[in-house]
Amino acid sequence: MTRFDHQPSFMTGDEFSIPTFSLLDPEGVLYEGAAAPALERDHARRLYKAMLATRLLDERMLAAQRQGRLSFYMQCTGEEAAIVGATAALDERDMIMAQYREQGALMYRGFTIDEFMNQLFGNELDYGKGRQMPVHYGSRKLHYMTISSPLATQIPQATGYAYGQKLAGDGLCTLTFFGEGAASEGDFHAALNMASVHQVPVIFFCRNNGYAISTPAVEQFAADGIAPRAMGYRMHVIRVDGNDALAVFEATRRARVIAVEQNKPVLIEAMSYRLAAHSSSDDPSGYRAKSEEETWRLKDPVLRFRKWLTRQEWWSDDEQSELEESLRREVLETLKRAEKRAAPPLDSLITDVYAEVTPELTRQLDSLKRHIRRYPEAYPKGAKSLDLDIAPAASTDEEV
């Protein structure tokens, strides 16, 4: 019902305050009055193992990039609880549409280290046939849409996919991850408006890690973060401590109930921090202080959840040492295998575009082959695909 005032009264939004939902303090202890969700032992251990595996994979692959063995890498470091905690609350058949820092979601769902490495090196076993940048994963079997580089395009796509899920009536939803910087794109607003108008089962999960590459949040928007924007679309919203895996899990679990049972969209804003650089091409020392990073390291999400597990007597120091050693060995051995695998056949470059390869694409491929035959030393992988006799590049097997 419309309410009328007879004197002008302006509002700024400061009248509303959105709290941050949190269950565990940095020592892994439940806050007074907080109740742990019904998370079973095996489920909690699986969640933690995925967080730890993501952390160790990231450490090793950044080192590989620095050695020149990999062209590019992006770490999830500091945001593992937000990504894995949210994924653990979903049905395995729910669709995930990620941005580019959500490898933890795939890790939780069972993407193997081999599958990660094949994509990173773009070899012949890469599902994307070497056509994507590293860390642009995708998995049809794990319901994880292939990542695309343009920022925020996955947000309206998630709304559209969720609309299809609503029509199918299978009781599934879509969750899309994005950063607070992506929330400044027009795609974000179009997606939220469409989702709210059409009432579709989609969860918009914003990782607010404080920086859009080098731009701090205070220079991105004047309002209180991203969460208040949901009110403009009359959408359910919750803000959660993104470094608290337990709280993220419970917030996402409840959001999924709203999405699936009521066919209504939900916005989750996870407050976290990117402990690593934006990417291997970035140097955060140029735009943020070391003291700021150290403050957030005390809130390490992996360590916090481990401490909670230990208090539950669901994890031990011996298990920690054994798993770390096993994961580091697996990552290194798999890396060595993946980088030695052949590149995808050159002819695969023009397939999967049209049902039948067009004459123009064929002409372009022929032109490319002539160029490679002329300069084989500049294109060793392409030359090898053409069976040209060139000296192989020196390889290294030292530990990353």
Side-chain angles (χ1 to χ4, degrees), residues 188-204:
F188 168 84
H189 298 281
L192 266 67
N193 186 60
M194 179 180 173
S196 187
V197 169
H198 293 285
Q199 297 288 275
V200 301
V202 59
I203 301 172
F204 299 103

Side-chain angles (χ1 to χ4, degrees), residues 42-334:
D42 289 348
H43 198 170
R45 285 167 58 89
R46 177 184 173 188
L47 197 166
Y48 176 69
K49 288 178 181 179
M51 291 173 63
L52 181 61
T54 302
R55 175 71 60 92
L56 296 180
L57 174 69
D58 284 353
E59 289 176 357
R60 194 66 77 187
M61 297 318 295
L62 180 66
Q65 191 279 332
R66 293 297 190 244
Q67 287 185 326
R69 300 166 81 171
L70 192 66
S71 63
F72 176 82
Y73 197 75
M74 301 187 82
Q75 295 176 285
C76 181
T77 308
E79 301 178 64
E80 295 93 345
I83 306 308
V84 183
T87 304
L90 300 176
D91 186 291
E92 300 281 347
R93 298 168 297 162
D94 289 337
M95 176 58 71
I96 292 177
M97 294 192 180
Q99 187 159 303
Y100 43 52
R101 206 184 300 281
E102 290 83 20
Q103 48 264 45
L106 276 173
M107 188 73 76
Y108 177 84
R109 285 192 168 179
F111 208 61
T112 67
I113 301 299
D114 257 314
E115 289 175 306
F116 278 112
M117 291 297 177
N118 292 334
Q119 196 286 322
L120 290 171
F121 286 99
N123 62 36
E124 61 185 347
L125 298 183
D126 171 26
Y127 298 140
K129 301 182 181 180
R131 298 168 178 171
Q132 287 272 29
M133 290 176 62
V135 305
H136 286 49
Y137 310 107
S139 175
R140 181 189 298 270
K141 66 182 177 182
L142 297 180
H143 305 283
Y144 186 100
M145 188 69 70
T146 301
I147 296 167
S148 58
S149 292
L151 195 65
T153 54
Q154 79 277 11
I155 310 178
Q157 290 166 0
T159 294
Y161 197 93
Y163 186 75
Q165 289 172 314
K166 175 182 177 179
L167 296 179
D170 293 330
L172 300 175
C173 71
T174 294
L175 184 146
T176 179
F177 289 109
F178 54 93
E180 88 288 343
S184 296
E185 296 285 337
D187 285 353
F188 168 84
H189 298 281
L192 266 67
N193 186 60
M194 179 180 173
S196 187
V197 169
H198 293 285
Q199 297 288 275
V200 301
V202 59
I203 301 172
F204 299 103
F205 195 101
C206 177
R207 300 177 288 96
N208 189 340
N209 62 24
Y211 289 89
I213 308 183
S214 61
T215 305
V218 293
E219 295 180 16
Q220 295 181 56
F221 39 77
D224 176 27
I226 306 302
R229 300 183 189 181
M231 297 178 182
Y233 300 102
R234 204 175 186 185
M235 184 180 296
H236 286 82
V237 62
I238 186 170
R239 175 177 283 155
V240 63
D241 181 349
N243 283 24
D244 179 353
L246 212 57
V248 172
F249 171 84
E250 181 64 2
T252 309
R253 185 188 70 81
R254 297 197 181 208
R256 187 182 186 280
V257 171
I258 295 170
V260 171
E261 295 185 3
Q262 301 180 36
N263 270 323
K264 290 184 177 180
V266 182
L267 173 63
I268 298 176
E269 181 180 20
M271 310 305 291
S272 187
Y273 191 81
R274 170 170 52 77
L275 287 174
H278 170 73
S279 73
S280 55
S281 304
D282 175 45
D283 178 10
S285 66
Y287 55 83
R288 68 187 191 191
K290 285 292 183 182
S291 58
E292 177 182 297
E293 294 179 12
E294 290 307 316
T295 297
W296 279 93
R297 288 189 189 281
L298 297 176
K299 305 175 184 180
D300 188 327
V302 178
L303 182 58
R304 184 186 303 193
F305 196 58
R306 175 187 170 187
K307 288 179 177 179
W308 180 76
L309 286 175
T310 302
R311 292 178 188 278
Q312 300 292 110
E313 298 185 351
W314 290 353
W315 196 252
S316 68
D317 291 344
D318 288 343
E319 286 180 297
Q320 181 73 20
S321 298
E322 182 180 344
L323 181 59
E324 285 187 11
E325 181 181 352
S326 173
L327 285 170
R328 287 195 170 101
R329 182 172 58 251
E330 182 183 3
V331 168
L332 180 58
E333 292 174 353
T334 308

